[in-house]
Every structure is written in structure tokens, then in C-alpha cells.
Amino acid sequence: MSERDLEQEREPDRRAGEVSRRQFLTYTLMGVGGFLAATILTPMIRAAIDPALKAGTESSMVPVADINEITTEPKSFSFKVKMDDAWVKGQDTTLMAWVYKDGDKIMAMSPICKHLGCTVNWNTNPKFPEHFFCPCHGGLYTKDGINVPGTPPKAPLDLYDYQVKDGKLYLGKLIQRT
């Protein structure tokens, strides 16, 4: 005897096309389960995808120094930018850059070590003159910000996008080097 015969035997008065109690409960549970799953998953999916869908804020150039202050020796300059994070919009944040002239070019580098994020300093370790040195774990970079092989950093220092206008140096967003 097939399952269908058993079902008809249990519910002999059911007419063709009617929904059985079992089917009704199955459909109801599937609907409630789907609604609950959508209610739980929608905020999570939105939180994961939403930052990628938002248009990025246009990074503007910030005046940092007079062009006459820049020499062939790396010099540290601090400047303020307005940054947005997840909780605070337009917060003033102080950043720093190592800046020097290399012929006609200007090199403006981030002082953040690519190993663990400490601040590198120029020419502070007597064992490594004319190098950027990270005091945290002994990271070493050449003058142009390239990491010295055999030291902890695995990537060169990031460069700032820059612009010279009316005798002033303007820095923009960081450009990651590989």
C-alpha cells in the first residue's frame, strides 16, 4: 500500500485540490522560517555590503609646507585633515609625513612602518645612517622608503599624492606601494 493510499484512508472526506493539515503546517512553518531567516540575515548582509556601495569621500589636498622649507634631507611635517569614521564625521586628525626633494620630484612618505604600524624616524640609529628606522622591531627603510631585505617590514612606506601650488606643498591621499 502506497503512502498516498494511506493518506486517503486517514482522510477519506478530503476532496481533490484541498490542502491537507500536513501540507498546511509545512507551508506555514516554511513561511515563518523564511520570514525569521530574512529578518535575521538582512541587517547582517546590509552591514557587510553597505560600505562597499557608498560613494567614497573625495580626498582633498591639504596644505602642508612652503616649498622653500623642503630640502634634500627628509623632514617631518604634521598636518590636519578631516576624516570620517564609523561614528564621527569630519573629525580633525593630525597626520605626519616625511618630505624631501629628490631632483625635481618631491617625495612625501607616510611614517607608518609596514610591519606593525609604529612610526619610523629618519637617521636616528647610528648603526644605520641615512635610513628610516623603526624602533619597535628594527625595521629599516632606505631614503626613498624601500624596505631593506632581511628586516621585518615586507613592503615599502606608502607615498602621499602631492601637488605644488602657489609655492606650497599640498598632500592628498596615501598611495600604497607594493
Side-chain angles (χ1 to χ4, degrees):
M1 184 176 268
S2 72
E3 188 173 315
R4 184 179 179 110
D5 293 337
L6 287 173
E7 191 173 309
Q8 284 180 349
E9 196 173 287
R10 281 186 242 144
E11 299 180 27
D13 295 334
R14 195 177 81 189
R15 288 182 237 146
E18 286 185 356
V19 177
S20 70
R21 186 177 0 172
R22 178 177 292 185
Q23 289 174 324
F24 174 76
L25 289 174
T26 302
Y27 296 149
T28 303
L29 286 175
M30 287 174 52
V32 170
F35 176 75
L36 289 175
T39 303
I40 292 169
L41 292 178
T42 299
M44 287 190 239
I45 292 171
R46 182 177 172 168
I49 294 175
D50 195 43
L53 297 178
K54 285 184 178 177
T57 56
E58 191 68 27
S59 176
S60 59
M61 295 287 195
V62 178
V64 173
D66 286 331
I67 204 73
N68 298 334
E69 298 177 64
I70 302 169
T71 63
T72 56
E73 184 78 10
K75 189 174 177 184
S76 171
F77 291 95
S78 295
F79 56 100
K80 288 190 175 191
V81 296
K82 293 210 179 281
M83 296 182 78
D84 295 339
D85 63 17
W87 297 276
V88 180
K89 303 281 182 205
Q91 179 179 10
D92 281 334
T93 304
T94 302
L95 298 178
M96 192 180 114
W98 285 104
V99 181
Y100 71 95
K101 281 185 182 174
D102 185 22
D104 292 340
K105 285 178 37 179
I106 292 177
M107 297 289 287
M109 294 179 287
S110 167
I112 308 298
C113 180
K114 299 300 276 187
H115 178 231
L116 291 177
C118 298
T119 302
V120 299
N121 294 307
W122 171 250
N123 214 9
T124 54
N125 189 331
K127 289 182 184 176
F128 307 105
E130 303 292 316
H131 281 81
F132 287 102
F133 180 72
C134 177
C136 295
H137 300 101
L140 203 58
Y141 297 90
T142 58
K143 185 178 180 181
D144 57 355
I146 303 297
N147 53 311
V148 174
T151 60
K154 300 295 180 211
L157 296 173
D158 294 334
L159 292 175
Y160 281 101
D161 187 21
Y162 74 92
Q163 183 177 37
V164 177
K165 188 173 159 185
D166 300 329
K168 287 225 175 240
L169 174 69
Y170 290 80
L171 295 184
K173 65 181 180 179
L174 275 174
I175 301 166
Q176 189 172 11
R177 297 194 288 183
T178 53

